[in-house]
Amino acid sequence: MSTSTTPSVLFVCVHNAGRSQMAAAFLTHLGGDRVQVRSAGSAPADTVNPAVLEALAEVGIDISAETPKVLTTEAVQSSDVVITMGCGDACPYFPGKRYLDWQLEDPAGQGVAAVRPIRDEIERRILGLLAELGIEPAA
């Protein structure tokens, strides 16, 4: 863990336009200020996937102001948990960090109907992560 008492989680995917954005949004929504949340990609897209925006809006989460961000070594170094999103993304490795790989379908090029099950699986995993971190999810 970092020197602060607030755990820090980084979600990584190649384009940072779908899965990692959804995961960061759910963790921010459910964890509030009790967890620091970042997301990034090794080759960020220009915009977040519109079907992802729609699928999250359906559950009351608005990430329309978010933009894909580039993965930096500093982001990895300052995170306690680094979660790749099943896309085989290259991520710098630092001892003492917890690394997870969540194998998830890619929402790229999919409509909102195909994104909903991915969204729901990400929410389920975020609830499990919060439990592991000892953080009660927000209502």
Side-chain angles (χ1 to χ4, degrees), residues 21-109:
Q21 289 283 351
M22 284 192 282
F26 271 116
L27 187 55
T28 299
H29 181 73
L30 296 170
D33 60 1
R34 295 163 294 159
V35 62
Q36 294 176 346
V37 183
R38 297 178 184 84
S39 71
S42 57
D46 293 330
T47 60
V48 175
N49 180 332
V52 166
L53 294 174
E54 185 177 343
L56 286 172
E58 290 176 351
V59 295
I61 299 175
D62 178 10
I63 64 163
S64 59
E66 292 297 324
T67 57
K69 294 167 266 322
V70 69
L71 176 64
T72 64
T73 300
E74 294 78 25
V76 177
Q77 285 177 314
S78 61
S79 298
D80 300 309
V81 181
V82 179
I83 302 174
T84 56
M85 309 304 288
C87 39
D89 207 13
C91 186
Y93 178 82
F94 295 98
K97 304 287 176 202
R98 180 175 174 205
Y99 290 87
L100 301 171
D101 184 43
W102 289 357
Q103 295 291 321
L104 297 159
E105 292 295 319
D106 189 350

